[in-house]
Amino acid sequence: MSENERRVAIIGAGMSGISCATRLLKNHIEATIFDKSRGPGGRMSTRRKGESRFDHGAQYFTASHGAFQQQIIEWEAAGWATEWAGRFADWKDGTLSERYPKRKRWVGSPRMSALCRGFSQELHVQYGVRIHRIKPFESQWILIDDKEQSYGPFDSVLVSCPGPQAAELLPMESHTHQLAKSLSYSPCWAVMAELESPINTPFDGIHFQDHPLGWAAKDSSKPQRTHGERWVLHGSAEWSQQHVDADPQVIIQKLTEAFGHIGTIEPHQCTAHRWLYALASPSNGPAAMYDRERHLGLFGDALSDPKVEGAWRSGQEMARLIVETT
Ligand SMILES: Cc1cc2nc3c(=O)[nH]c(=O)nc-3n(C[C@H](O)[C@H](O)[C@H](O)COP(=O)(O)OP(=O)(O)OC[C@H]3O[C@@H](n4cnc5c(N)ncnc54)[C@H](O)[C@@H]3O)c2cc1C
């Protein structure tokens, strides 16, 4: 690294952090990403249970903007994303009606996390590092993890984790802290089920309305998945909020019961995961914020659109702001 090179740290290796670092790299700025998890993906990660894998967060993604459509074409060519041409339905008042897609639905292949793994392959990512503090050091910043190990110094620190987690890291007096604090999220309980016999339904994904469930997917129907019948059930935002502190076994019991109209899932076939910051409430401001005085950035899906596409776009915008100030 040359002496004049700008040192950039990104906190979070979810879609937004990876998107930002990739665009910075195209502009010859090599960022270091830190993530507390063991791998990339954040809310697009995949849960392993024995030999089975479950996409327990983001289920699929669509593209509404040309730039993201172009990005998906590149991911598909690299073998990291594939169209999921499953049959979907809406459940309302006890009736299932088929839902026909307006846009192609895409998934990571052979699992959701594989997309972020591939997309980040040229980046410098430090996993298993939970950043605890961002500390000023002369005119730069040092990152300190939860084991008091320090990293840096960095000229700029860009934070992509969900607002409440970002607010804990960003200096209280900064605009980025204020914005992070204002972002809000609904939780989501996810139940993952490995079945011995198939559920008798022609549908691979079901959206529920006015129901404890928000969504159910035959995860094993996605392309390039391993054999077997696996389902992922998501509690609706409202139901998950009402049961946010419930015992996982109670969640499994209630959500499998609620799924009983569609098919039988035995609780012993299941595990549960709580996403505390699952679905962001859209904020109406710009897709990323960069404080040019302090050299601190805030970005992520909540600033753009609470979806995979929104996270990608927010990362692109964050990088654009950095390149512009360099
Ligand atoms: C249950 C569920 C279902 C969803 N379904 C869909 C869907 O079907 N379609 C769709 O388009 N979107 C869906 N989404 C939303 C989509 O997953 C998100 O919009 C997107 O993945 C957000 O990416 P991000 O990079 O902004 O944030 P994240 O993915 O949350 O990334 C933030 C990263 O920061 C890391 N981090 C946090 N704190 C620290 C710290 N202190 N130190 C180091 N690292 C830290 C985290 O480990 C994480 O990897 C769903 C999300 C959930 C949870």
Side-chain angles (χ1 to χ4, degrees):
M1 184 179 290
S2 80
E3 261 182 44
N4 295 331
E5 210 165 304
R6 193 181 180 92
R7 299 201 68 198
V8 176
I10 295 174
I11 303 176
M15 177 52 76
S16 62
I18 298 170
S19 162
C20 176
T22 304
R23 181 153 177 185
L24 287 176
L25 192 59
K26 281 189 184 149
N27 286 276
H28 314 291
I29 300 172
E30 198 177 338
T32 305
I33 311 185
F34 298 89
D35 201 293
K36 62 185 169 64
S37 302
R38 277 178 296 168
R43 280 171 276 162
M44 291 176 73
S45 58
T46 301
R47 172 66 74 90
R48 182 181 183 151
K49 193 183 160 204
E51 291 307 302
S52 302
R53 306 279 191 283
F54 296 88
D55 294 341
H56 64 324
Q59 296 295 296
Y60 63 90
F61 51 92
T62 54
S64 56
H65 292 76
F68 190 57
Q69 278 160 5
Q70 186 53 42
Q71 176 67 83
I72 294 177
I73 290 170
E74 289 172 28
W75 289 340
E76 188 184 23
W80 305 331
T82 311
E83 186 185 355
W84 182 22
R87 285 180 70 186
F88 280 32
D90 286 302
W91 170 275
K92 193 168 171 15
D93 300 331
T95 309
L96 274 174
S97 44
E98 185 147 9
R99 175 190 274 220
Y100 296 97
K102 289 189 214 100
R103 298 191 176 107
K104 278 189 179 184
R105 303 178 184 110
W106 297 89
V107 291
S109 52
R111 63 191 77 98
M112 193 57 97
S113 60
L115 168 56
C116 290
R117 173 82 58 193
F119 192 31
S120 61
Q121 69 183 8
E122 286 174 9
L123 305 177
H124 180 222
V125 191
Q126 296 212 16
Y127 294 110
V129 179
R130 182 187 289 269
I131 302 301
H132 187 53
R133 264 182 303 148
I134 303 174
K135 204 174 116 182
F137 175 79
E138 297 174 357
S139 60
Q140 295 174 298
W141 298 101
I142 284 191
L143 304 183
I144 310 208
D145 73 10
D146 56 355
K147 297 178 189 87
E148 288 299 315
Q149 191 171 332
S150 53
Y151 306 85
F154 295 101
D155 300 303
S156 304
V157 179
L158 314 175
V159 183
S160 76
C161 38
Q165 295 170 327
E168 281 178 21
L169 299 175
L170 290 159
M172 295 252 287
E173 65 286 0
S174 67
H175 297 310
T176 47
H177 173 90
Q178 294 304 327
L179 178 58
K181 234 173 58 171
S182 73
L183 302 173
S184 64
Y185 299 75
S186 310
C188 177
W189 273 107
V191 168
M192 295 154 268
E194 169 121 53
L195 306 186
E196 276 136 34
S197 46
I199 299 272
N200 185 19
T201 172
F203 298 114
D204 303 307
I206 303 167
H207 291 272
F208 293 82
Q209 279 183 42
D210 307 323
H211 198 272
L213 289 164
W215 162 258
K218 193 205 276 189
D219 201 45
S220 46
S221 74
K222 294 177 181 175
Q224 296 176 27
R225 268 49 180 181
T226 51
H227 293 296
E229 172 105 352
R230 292 177 300 283
W231 281 76
V232 171
L233 313 181
H234 281 165
S236 71
E238 201 181 18
W239 189 91
S240 296
Q241 183 62 59
Q242 282 162 4
H243 295 80
V244 70
D245 292 322
D247 184 283
Q249 287 311 316
V250 173
I251 298 296
I252 289 171
Q253 189 72 41
K254 287 184 184 285
L255 290 185
T256 52
E257 258 171 45
F259 186 71
H261 308 291
I262 312 287
T264 304
I265 295 180
E266 300 292 345
H268 74 264
Q269 299 167 320
C270 303
T271 45
H273 175 85
R274 184 185 69 173
W275 295 98
L276 201 48
Y277 306 116
L279 189 72
S281 305
S283 70
N284 297 320
M289 176 192 255
Y290 188 58
D291 178 336
R292 284 162 209 264
E293 268 174 43
R294 290 190 171 83
H295 300 288
L296 292 173
L298 178 69
F299 66 116
D301 66 338
L303 272 73
S304 170
D305 188 20
K307 292 182 186 151
V308 171
E309 179 173 15
W312 179 85
R313 282 178 43 224
S314 179
Q316 296 288 299
E317 177 60 9
M318 184 78 260
R320 194 189 65 76
L321 294 172
I322 295 295
V323 171
E324 197 181 83
T325 54
T326 307

